[in-house]
Amino acid sequence: QKEVEQNSGPLSVPEGAIASLNCTYSDRGSQSFFWYRQYSGKSPELIMFIYSNGDKEDGRFTAQLNKASQYVSLLIRDSQPSDSATYLCAVSLTSGTYKYIFGTGTRLKVLA
Amino acid sequence: NAGVTQTPKFRILKIGQSMTLQCAQDMNHNYMYWYRQDPGMGLKLIYYSVGAGITDKGEVPNGYNVSRSTTEDFPLRLELAAPSQTSVYFCASSRGQAVQPQHFGDGTRLSIL
């Protein structure tokens, strides 16, 4: 059973702080890794994706990937109350077709 | 630019009834997916399609059926609705390449009473 694991939270951080969200995955053949943000009652929206080891930055967001440790993280700098949401980690599998396994998500609360 | 469109947004069914959830995308994506999301849980794959005429089961296919007659449309059929199928259903599409993300519709909130 291929799995993606996330701490369900809630992760509470004060406004302006750095929020660190973590995700581990079990399939060593996984190719790409995605972070989605989901507000309550809404559909997931893509924040960013990464497929090479190291860091990838996009504005206040940084994704970090370590394939040897099977670990991917999302850092949110200067956290804002509007960042309060559930963050879903998704991994694309390499079984001949492009399927994605989602974690259960980490709920982030940014306190004003 | 519509993206992925799902209808209806909300629906209440009685146990044993049937219905079809509609999904359409205008991005010419080959891959389409149906997920369900239960409260506090992640997304579970029900069925997916890699192109017109080709569908396959995901993690939780029991109680559902799909068809893909065109690139644009991927309806999900519920036969003999059961309370366990109460959930939020999301349709998504992608280009079917390793580094391409999925694009989601707004979801259908379905209650079986």
Side-chain angles (χ1 to χ4, degrees):
Chain A
Q1 179 78 11
K2 297 177 174 60
E3 294 180 343
V4 174
E5 296 191 354
Q6 297 180 255
N7 187 320
S8 61
L11 172 66
S12 295
V13 300
E15 184 176 357
I18 296 175
S20 178
L21 305 165
N22 304 314
C23 172
T24 60
Y25 59 95
S26 63
D27 183 7
R28 283 195 171 275
S30 300
Q31 289 188 309
S32 304
F33 308 85
F34 305 86
W35 283 101
Y36 288 85
R37 177 175 61 198
Q38 187 176 26
Y39 292 113
S40 181
K42 300 296 186 181
S43 62
E45 57 177 321
L46 181 71
I47 297 296
M48 60 190 309
F49 68 91
I50 186 168
Y51 56 87
S52 298
N53 275 327
D55 295 359
K56 179 181 178 182
E57 187 174 319
D58 184 0
R60 296 187 296 114
F61 300 96
T62 299
Q64 299 175 318
L65 175 61
N66 184 325
K67 288 188 176 181
S69 300
Q70 296 176 243
Y71 173 94
V72 58
S73 65
L74 179 70
L75 301 178
I76 306 175
R77 290 182 299 281
D78 188 23
S79 295
Q80 301 297 309
S82 59
D83 294 326
S84 298
T86 296
Y87 289 80
L88 301 172
C89 173
V91 174
S92 71
L93 304 180
T94 56
S95 58
T97 56
Y98 295 103
K99 294 191 292 186
Y100 303 77
I101 299 295
F102 284 79
T104 55
T106 297
R107 185 178 167 208
L108 173 67
K109 297 177 70 174
V110 180
L111 307 173
Chain B
N1 188 6
V4 179
T5 302
Q6 290 184 241
T7 56
K9 294 190 184 306
F10 304 95
R11 185 73 183 266
I12 298 174
L13 285 181
K14 294 182 179 179
I15 295 172
Q17 288 185 319
S18 300
M19 77 163 294
T20 299
L21 281 64
Q22 301 292 342
C23 176
Q25 53 94 8
D26 62 0
M27 296 174 283
N28 201 32
H29 284 169
N30 288 328
Y31 277 63
M32 295 188 74
Y33 310 80
W34 273 106
Y35 294 92
R36 60 176 287 172
Q37 186 176 37
D38 298 325
M41 302 297 288
L43 297 162
K44 297 293 186 184
L45 182 64
I46 304 172
Y47 272 95
Y48 68 103
S49 169
V50 303
I54 306 171
T55 62
D56 204 351
K57 297 177 180 178
E59 300 173 76
V60 291
N62 292 342
Y64 307 95
N65 279 299
V66 293
S67 60
R68 183 98 180 270
S69 58
T70 66
T71 299
E72 294 78 19
D73 299 300
F74 190 39
L76 177 72
R77 177 82 177 165
L78 277 73
E79 304 283 2
L80 297 175
S84 61
Q85 294 177 304
T86 294
S87 190
V88 179
Y89 292 83
F90 289 105
C91 178
S93 71
S94 77
R95 290 188 179 182
Q97 299 169 6
V99 298
Q100 294 296 323
Q102 295 180 305
H103 300 262
F104 284 85
D106 290 339
T108 294
R109 190 175 298 273
L110 181 63
S111 295
I112 315 294
L113 304 177

